[in-house]
């Protein structure tokens, strides 16, 4: 097995383009499984488009769109991150040890995003199958136009949670400032409790599923009603 210390990039000596190119071009059968990115300076689009089951440690604060379009890889950010972390993620796992800015997990289609701090506005915007677990709180408009997947918030949620939501499931343990258009509180069934418990365990977060409330679509915005034909 490779020594993790041998697979390290110093971003003061190697360009981010070279780093991304190397990580993206690793073969399926690579034995270089663990990588460390050091001496970061808030670079954007770091560790994006990874397609192999490798582990990448981003050791410091990072800029916009880190770990975007991730497939199969595990990316751990040991710091804070900018807008759009794990944007359009397909599979694998992205974990933020600090806080995340707005649009975390935007349009994500699969995989697991864990944010151990707080997340900013529009967390999970237009999510399409990704599961997002936030240990802290989320900002306004989180879950906006969320289509599928689950957004779990162990803290509080800002205004207009789940605005224009489709079929994603939202679970919040703390207070919700307000619900967005067509978003309502829903019954927590044994099925949902089991799903929530599994995701919390997968995220490594110790929380009681029974203390959460579930929110979802009232399904009144995106259905056609003949009585309202003049409004279309």
């Amino acid at each position: 097995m490779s020594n993790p210390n041998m697979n390290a990039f110093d971003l003061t000596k190697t360009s981010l383009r070279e780093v991304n190119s190397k990580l993206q071009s690793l073969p399926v059968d690579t034995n270089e499984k663990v990588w460390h990115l050091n001496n970061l300076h808030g670079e954007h689009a770091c560790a994006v488009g990874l397609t192999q089951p490798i582990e990448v440690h981003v050791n410091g604060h990072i800029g916009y769109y880190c770990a975007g379009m991730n497939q199969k890889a595990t990316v751990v950010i040991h710091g804070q991150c900018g807008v759009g972390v794990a944007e359009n993620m397909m599979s694998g796992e992205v974990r933020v040890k600090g806080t995340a800015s707005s649009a975390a997990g935007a349009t994500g289609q699969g995989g697991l995003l864990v944010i151990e701090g707080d997340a900013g506005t529009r967390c999970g915007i237009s999510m399409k199958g990704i599961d997002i677990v936030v240990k802290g709180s989320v900002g306004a408009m989180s879950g906006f136009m969320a289509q599928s997947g689950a957004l779990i918030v162990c803290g509080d949620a800002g205004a207009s949670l789940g605005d224009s939501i489709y079929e994603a499931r939202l679970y919040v343990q703390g207070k919700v400032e307000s619900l967005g258009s067509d978003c309502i509180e829903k019954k927590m069934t044994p099925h949902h409790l089991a799903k929530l418990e599994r995701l919390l365990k997968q995220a490594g977060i110790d929380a009681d599923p029974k203390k959460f409330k579930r929110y979802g679509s009232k399904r009144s915005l995106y259905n056609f009603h003949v009585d309202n034909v003049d409004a279309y």
Side-chain angles (χ1 to χ4, degrees), residues 9-24:
F9 286 110
D10 183 337
L11 271 292
T12 63
K13 299 177 180 178
T14 307
S15 72
L16 181 60
R17 182 182 292 272
E18 292 177 81
V19 171
N20 282 337
S21 178
K22 172 63 177 179
L23 296 177
Q24 291 165 1

Side-chain angles (χ1 to χ4, degrees), residues 56-74:
V56 178
H57 291 267
V58 179
N59 295 317
H61 305 319
I62 201 66
Y64 297 171
Y65 302 113
C66 183
M69 300 177 290
N70 188 60
Q71 294 183 55
K72 300 181 181 180
T74 296

Side-chain angles (χ1 to χ4, degrees), residues 69-147:
M69 300 177 290
N70 188 60
Q71 294 183 55
K72 300 181 181 180
T74 296
V75 180
V76 183
I77 301 166
H78 299 271
Q80 328 296 354
C81 63
V83 172
V85 63
E87 182 265 344
N88 203 32
M89 179 176 174
M90 302 292 181
S91 61
E93 180 177 330
V94 175
R95 181 176 293 269
V96 182
K97 292 289 188 177
T99 60
S101 187
S102 61
T107 72
Q109 299 187 44
L112 175 67
L113 169 61
V114 181
I115 300 169
E116 296 187 4
D118 297 325
T121 58
R122 301 199 178 204
C123 179
I125 179 175
S126 195
M127 52 192 283
K128 299 176 174 68
I130 189 175
D131 291 318
I132 304 174
V133 182
V134 181
K135 190 173 182 179
S137 299
V138 297
M141 297 290 287
S142 289
F144 175 55
M145 294 186 68
Q147 296 174 34

